[in-house]
Amino acid sequence: MAQPINIGANSIAKIGDRFFLIVEVEAITTGVEIDPVFGVRTTAQQAAALLRAGVKRTTFAKVDPKPTSTTKVELKGVLFANGRIFKVFDVENATSDISVLVRINLAQAQRLIRNGTRIIKVYRKPF
């Protein structure tokens, strides 16, 4: 039987002069599917070590990713990080699961949040 809790999309984002680990936690079992995304501030040294260990860099895009017959796209929330605001998407197909960040302005963020989009929790103090 598969483990009910796994790490999904995970990557290192450099936003301005700061680094963040963007990670999706997937809890899936019969009747339950919980898959939030979190941001965790890291130091430059931690980010470099994670990148060397194989963690990928976060994908930044100018437009929202589009689903295809083989790719699922899900808006996970709004991320406020280092004075910038992004929509965070989970983009998944048979071979990859990545986070895609699309920069937005405050008015767009407020509209999304009013319509029920979650705010991505960011742990702002590096561990």
Side-chain angles (χ1 to χ4, degrees):
M1 184 169 172
Q3 290 293 322
I5 299 175
N6 294 292
I7 300 299
N10 58 90
S11 58
I12 295 292
K14 184 175 183 188
I15 300 173
D17 60 350
R18 294 187 177 161
F19 293 90
F20 297 85
L21 172 63
I22 308 297
V23 64
E24 176 187 34
V25 177
E26 298 175 334
I28 301 171
T29 190
T30 305
V32 175
E33 184 170 341
I34 303 168
D35 54 356
V37 171
F38 298 92
V40 180
R41 173 93 190 281
T42 67
T43 65
Q45 294 80 12
Q46 290 168 329
L50 289 167
L51 290 166
R52 282 192 304 274
V55 176
K56 295 179 180 165
R57 292 184 184 275
T58 302
T59 300
F60 290 88
K62 294 191 182 292
V63 297
D64 296 355
K66 302 291 183 217
T68 67
S69 61
T70 59
T71 304
K72 180 178 133 185
V73 175
E74 181 182 2
L75 175 61
K76 302 303 289 186
V78 175
L79 173 70
F80 294 83
N82 202 25
R84 294 172 177 93
I85 310 168
F86 301 89
K87 289 191 278 188
V88 178
F89 293 91
D90 180 43
V91 180
E92 191 172 347
N93 62 32
T95 60
S96 69
D97 188 4
I98 62 169
S99 293
V100 175
L101 277 58
V102 177
R103 191 153 181 199
I104 59 174
N105 62 39
L106 182 58
Q108 291 169 306
Q110 290 171 331
R111 187 168 40 256
L112 286 166
I113 293 163
R114 272 194 313 272
N115 289 327
T117 302
R118 288 185 166 89
I119 297 172
I120 303 279
K121 172 68 178 164
V122 177
Y123 294 91
R124 299 193 183 282
K125 185 176 179 184
F127 284 85

